[in-house]
Amino acid sequence: MQSRKFYKIGFSLIPVFCLLLIWQLLNILNIFNSPSIPSPFKIVTAFGDLASKSQILTDFYTSIWRALLGLIIGSSAGIILGLLTGRNNKINMVLSPILNVFKAFPPVAMLPIFITFFGIGDLSKVFSISFATLFPLWVNTHIGASAIPIEYIRSAKLLSKSKSKILFKIIVPASMNSIIGGFRISIAISFIMLYVSELAGASSGLGYRISSSQLSYRYDEMFAALIILGITASSVDYIFNKVIKYFFPWVQLNKLM
């Protein structure tokens, strides 16, 4: 079983190694050799330089807590709102029109408003990520909660009068597939919004490092920070999938890794 797992991981890494090898060969042969597109070897060297100065570690820790905190706040609000609007028609009639208006606002366009209210510090960055990640969870949770057959709810009410038991034993488990889909979308959006938010008034973070490296023509450092950002986002998604499989084994996850 363990060898099969390692085989699967190794097989999935083959396209990555092939891409890096072709990239390096094109650079050596001067076919794909430009100062703005460094070779993989130069990017690895730049990563080593950043790591030796502890810059990349500081940027990583700063970015990861901003992204995760914003994701937790936004997703929690989105799930709660989705359950409310999905199962209560009166709340749906009141909240959904307002939420649909805010959903149409580009999160990037909302960043100056958050900076106006919360300043250029961490608070505006966290709230901008929360705003961006709220709506995918709200829409998916609303769809999942509203699609539960009425027979399930009626049967549950016959067996228990507790609304909390019906919520946590019927509604939430039945909506879990939709919630997970929304959460995976929100993970990707949180790191996109993290990069955008760190362009405004940040002095650390992976987004800041990408921008400052580009402005100083250190394209090797820029690519190194960009790759770390991508690996971090995919790692969070991978860990989330593992946690879901452990705590909710009945959930049918798709084959996307």
Side-chain angles (χ1 to χ4, degrees), residues 84-98 100 138 142:
L84 289 173
T85 59
R87 296 307 312 170
N88 191 301
N89 287 330
K90 291 181 179 179
I91 294 177
N92 184 36
M93 289 173 63
V94 173
L95 291 182
S96 287
I98 301 171
N100 276 310
W138 167 60
H142 175 94

Side-chain angles (χ1 to χ4, degrees), residues 31-53:
I31 298 173
F32 194 59
N33 189 1
S34 170
S36 59
I37 307 177
S39 67
F41 179 77
K42 289 182 180 179
I43 294 172
V44 172
T45 304
F47 173 80
D49 293 338
L50 291 172
S52 65
K53 301 172 186 175

Side-chain angles (χ1 to χ4, degrees), residues 44-249:
V44 172
T45 304
F47 173 80
D49 293 338
L50 291 172
S52 65
K53 301 172 186 175
S54 299
Q55 290 178 333
I56 205 68
L57 290 175
T58 302
D59 292 332
F60 172 78
Y61 288 130
T62 302
S63 290
I64 194 68
W65 84 260
R66 287 171 178 164
L68 292 181
L69 182 58
L71 178 63
I72 291 169
I73 294 173
S75 59
S76 300
I79 291 171
I80 293 170
L81 289 170
L83 292 172
L84 289 173
T85 59
R87 296 307 312 170
N88 191 301
N89 287 330
K90 291 181 179 179
I91 294 177
N92 184 36
M93 289 173 63
V94 173
L95 291 182
S96 287
I98 301 171
L99 291 171
N100 276 310
V101 170
F102 280 104
K103 181 168 66 70
F105 293 166
V108 176
M110 295 296 293
L111 184 57
I113 297 175
F114 288 119
I115 292 175
T116 301
F117 280 98
F118 303 113
I120 61 174
D122 292 329
L123 203 57
S124 62
K125 296 169 178 55
V126 170
F127 271 96
S128 66
I129 295 169
S130 300
F131 179 85
T133 56
L134 184 152
F135 297 104
L137 260 300
W138 167 60
V139 171
N140 279 266
T141 305
H142 175 94
I143 292 172
S146 60
I148 299 173
I150 191 65
E151 291 80 9
Y152 291 5
I153 307 300
R154 288 173 179 170
S155 300
K157 286 180 178 178
L158 290 174
L159 297 172
S160 175
K161 298 295 183 181
S162 173
K163 292 183 178 180
S164 61
K165 285 185 178 180
I166 294 173
L167 174 65
F168 291 108
K169 291 186 178 295
I170 301 296
I171 297 175
V172 172
S175 308
M176 191 56 67
N177 271 321
S178 297
I179 292 172
I180 290 171
F183 205 101
R184 294 190 70 182
I185 295 171
S186 291
I187 289 173
I189 291 175
S190 67
F191 282 90
I192 295 171
M193 199 62 204
L194 170 71
Y195 168 75
V196 175
S197 65
E198 287 184 341
L199 296 180
S203 58
S204 61
L206 294 173
Y208 163 78
R209 184 63 51 195
I210 293 169
S211 176
S212 62
S213 298
Q214 187 267 333
L215 292 173
S216 60
Y217 301 102
R218 288 300 309 270
Y219 297 110
D220 49 352
E221 291 185 359
M222 180 187 76
F223 274 94
L226 181 61
I227 290 170
I228 293 169
L229 183 65
I231 291 174
T232 303
S234 61
S235 298
V236 171
D237 183 72
Y238 179 81
I239 293 170
F240 172 73
N241 276 340
K242 291 298 181 182
V243 171
I244 290 298
K245 286 181 181 179
Y246 182 81
F247 287 103
F248 307 100

Side-chain angles (χ1 to χ4, degrees), residues 8-24:
K8 187 177 179 181
I9 294 173
F11 191 78
S12 63
L13 290 176
I14 290 175
V16 178
F17 286 119
C18 289
L19 176 63
L20 293 175
L21 180 62
I22 294 170
W23 185 354
Q24 184 68 44

